[in-house]
Amino acid sequence: MAEPGNLADKAAAQASIAAALARARAALHTRSDSPQLDAELLLAYTLRRPRSYLGAHPEQRLDVATLDRFERLMGRRAHGEPLAYLTGEREFWSLALAVTPDVLIPRPETELAVERCLALRTDAHADVVDLGTGCGAIALALATERPVWHLVATDRSSAALDVAQGNARRLGINNVEFLRGDWFKPLNGRRFEIIVSNPPYVAAADPALTALRFEPVTALTPGNTGMEALRIIALGAREHLVPGGWLVLEHGTTQASDLARALVAAGFTRVRCYADLAGHDRVTEAQWT
Ligand code: GLN
């Protein structure tokens, strides 16, 4: 069967788990990098079971209503909707985070920003702010790793802050304060040991945005160059870091040298870029002295 649209026809109504997965895999074949995994995760989600259930019960028959729900999810996936929006969840730093189309889906490479924050300050109390927190990924990961830190998580989108606060509540994380507003505006002159951010950094004309069309465009692109938000944060951070404090920024793979220049021009020292697991320049840190 080439199209997921026929899944719920009469012949398929008695399909087993194994048969439904096989058809779904074929339907996603050219439309996903991981058709098998996507099909399994969506069927497990439809059945409200762990993925391991599917392998343990390949012969189980699915009723028409279940097949219908599965078919509709498969259709959305085949049209490019990200899996995390279909299931409403994505794992980051071993935390199961709720996501909605109001927030960017957390990426594995953003864990590098978390790692750098943890490496820069290993024990003592610290005030740390995550600017543009989205679903809360960076702030919540740091808050669980360093229970003695006080985290501030900001976002200008109240819908995003709702998602982030819901995640904190569900995970029982109490050391994060949520503030709504653009970049530094809600901080009222407060200073921090670390400022971290994964701001929008994709240039407005970048063709990559097509593949990201289901995610909030304001979380992806700050303007024509892609550097706009990074520059605003590099300049503003000077007023919000304690002496010796660190700025940790995620950025695009070709932006490291422009960003380093902007940071040096702004008066930062010890500017250093780190590559993600794919070998791409991804996170730059700099110290304010
Ligand atoms: N890393 C994201 C992507 O290119 C972009 C995230 C961002 O702009 N902060 O898929």
Side-chain angles (χ1 to χ4, degrees):
M1 184 173 299
E3 288 292 321
N6 297 327
L7 265 184
D9 68 14
K10 233 173 164 190
Q14 293 300 309
S16 66
I17 283 179
L21 281 178
R23 275 197 303 276
R25 196 172 53 233
L28 285 184
H29 176 61
T30 55
R31 301 174 184 224
S32 162
D33 293 337
S34 50
Q36 171 78 20
L37 182 64
D38 289 10
E40 288 183 15
L41 289 171
L42 287 176
L43 186 53
Y45 171 76
T46 306
L47 292 168
R48 295 187 184 81
R49 301 274 191 180
R51 187 153 67 101
S52 57
Y53 181 89
L54 307 175
H57 302 87
E59 304 305 325
Q60 184 185 311
R61 304 257 156 207
L62 301 172
D63 61 35
V64 177
T66 302
L67 274 173
D68 193 48
R69 282 204 309 278
F70 180 50
E71 177 202 342
R72 263 182 276 149
L73 288 170
M74 287 297 302
R76 288 167 65 186
R77 183 71 195 100
H79 283 98
E81 211 167 322
L83 193 81
Y85 288 155
L86 298 175
T87 62
E89 193 175 284
R90 170 61 127 247
E91 190 167 296
F92 179 85
W93 201 266
S94 299
L95 304 173
L97 298 177
V99 294
T100 72
D102 293 310
V103 299
L104 196 76
I105 297 164
R107 312 287 204 265
E109 55 267 30
T110 301
E111 295 188 343
L112 179 58
V114 174
E115 280 168 25
R116 289 313 308 154
C117 293
L118 296 174
L120 288 169
R121 222 182 144 84
T122 49
D123 48 2
H125 172 81
D127 286 303
V128 176
V129 61
D130 172 17
L131 297 175
T133 195
C135 73
I138 295 175
L140 295 171
L142 291 174
T144 52
E145 290 294 327
R146 296 279 188 271
V148 298
W149 286 8
H150 179 76
L151 274 295
V152 174
T154 75
D155 209 289
R156 74 173 173 195
S157 154
S158 49
L161 273 190
D162 285 348
V163 174
Q165 272 177 296
N167 280 324
R169 207 177 312 119
R170 248 187 320 281
L171 294 166
I173 295 171
N174 299 314
N175 52 331
V176 184
E177 173 188 353
F178 294 92
L179 298 175
R180 195 174 78 80
D182 237 358
W183 304 131
F184 298 96
K185 288 214 182 89
L187 299 181
N188 271 325
R190 287 161 71 177
R191 289 187 184 261
F192 298 84
E193 271 78 25
I194 299 176
I195 295 173
V196 57
S197 184
N198 171 21
Y201 54 68
V202 182
D206 191 324
L209 287 172
T210 312
L212 306 174
R213 68 192 178 283
F214 288 93
E215 296 186 80
V217 69
T218 49
L220 287 165
T221 180
N224 290 337
T225 70
M227 290 293 296
E228 290 88 344
L230 290 164
R231 288 187 196 284
I232 288 170
I233 295 171
L235 291 175
R238 302 175 297 180
E239 308 293 316
H240 294 279
L241 284 169
V242 300
W246 289 92
L247 176 59
V248 177
L249 291 171
E250 180 175 327
H251 52 78
T253 59
T254 61
Q255 293 169 330
S257 52
D258 279 355
L259 179 58
R261 266 193 297 278
L263 288 165
V264 170
F268 284 88
T269 58
R270 297 174 73 182
V271 179
R272 188 154 173 198
C273 176
Y274 292 82
D276 62 22
L277 289 174
H280 298 130
D281 287 347
R282 183 60 68 189
V283 169
T284 291
E285 67 195 24
Q287 192 170 33
W288 183 245
T289 45

